[in-house]
Amino acid sequence: EAQVTQNPRYLITVTGKKLTVTCSQNMNHEYMSWYRQDPGLGLRQIYYSMNVEVTDKGDVPEGYKVSRKEKRNFPLILESPSPNQTSLYFCASTAATHRASYEQYFGPGTRLTVT
Amino acid sequence: TQLLEQSPQFLSIQEGENLTVYCNSSSVFSSLQWYRQEPGEGPVLLVTVVTGGEVKKLKRLTFQFGDARKDSSLHITAAQTGDTGLYLCAVGPSTGNQFYFGTGTSLTVIP
């Protein structure tokens, strides 16, 4: 089954404690993204990756890091989380070569609370 | 500044009613997508519109891309409780390499 998996689904942590949210896709997609979703602001792209070892900032990259060492995995790292990073996070992937119909497949989401 | 403005932000209607939600921008796009997101899940693609003036139908849902490719609408006929969810429009990555989403329309269909 084609899917994007994220772990953990829920995470409560304290300010400053480093954390990693994992993301994996089994569709051999080149393009992967991380989004955060906040009420009234919609989905905002944090970082994206066009392919292995190629990452770039989205609209809200401050406080986040990513890496793309393998095509299937795209972890999101918060080196020193702060309360303003409390949000719902989604990982997504797409076959970027099909530009006319680049359907994004989303993971189930990770609800992060930073106290 | 939001690239894509959606309206209304919230919509609550009775089952059987019709409704239209809008996605507007001042920018021109080569294509636009509509997603639906249900509580506790990630968004799922409903449709991609590519040509100015294009109309696509998905059962009771009708999607239209504006002639100038700056806006789009989603019309639902005879809404059902299963239509409840957050409807999002999105563009990209032809606009640079990024995807952009609208703020969404939260639809509640009351039985």
Side-chain angles (χ1 to χ4, degrees), chain B residues 40-101:
Chain B
E41 299 182 9
V44 175
L45 181 70
L46 294 173
V47 77
T48 300
V49 285
V50 178
T51 307
E54 181 178 6
V55 176
K56 279 192 174 179
K57 292 194 174 185
L58 189 66
K59 298 182 181 177
R60 295 175 293 100
L61 278 61
T62 301
F63 304 85
Q64 184 161 8
F65 201 13
D67 291 340
R69 291 183 286 121
K70 292 182 178 181
D71 53 78
S72 182
S73 63
L74 158 58
H75 181 81
I76 301 179
T77 303
Q80 299 177 357
T81 55
D83 296 327
T84 292
L86 179 67
Y87 289 83
L88 297 156
C89 61
V91 294
S94 59
T95 309
N97 289 317
Q98 288 186 235
F99 284 93
Y100 296 92
F101 280 80

Side-chain angles (χ1 to χ4, degrees), chain A residues 28-88:
Chain A
N28 202 36
H29 285 166
E30 296 90 353
Y31 190 109
M32 296 185 73
S33 290
W34 275 103
Y35 295 90
R36 60 178 291 172
Q37 186 173 34
D38 302 289
L41 297 176
L43 280 158
R44 293 179 293 168
Q45 201 169 28
I46 301 170
Y47 268 94
Y48 61 94
S49 169
M50 300 285 285
N51 216 322
V52 175
E53 301 293 358
V54 180
T55 63
D56 214 339
K57 297 178 181 179
D59 282 344
V60 287
E62 294 77 20
Y64 304 95
K65 284 176 57 177
V66 293
S67 68
R68 188 92 181 272
K69 293 184 170 55
E70 306 165 281
K71 198 171 189 178
R72 64 182 293 125
N73 296 324
F74 191 44
L76 179 69
I77 303 156
L78 284 71
E79 295 268 3
S80 182
S82 63
N84 64 11
Q85 293 178 297
T86 292
S87 187
L88 179 58

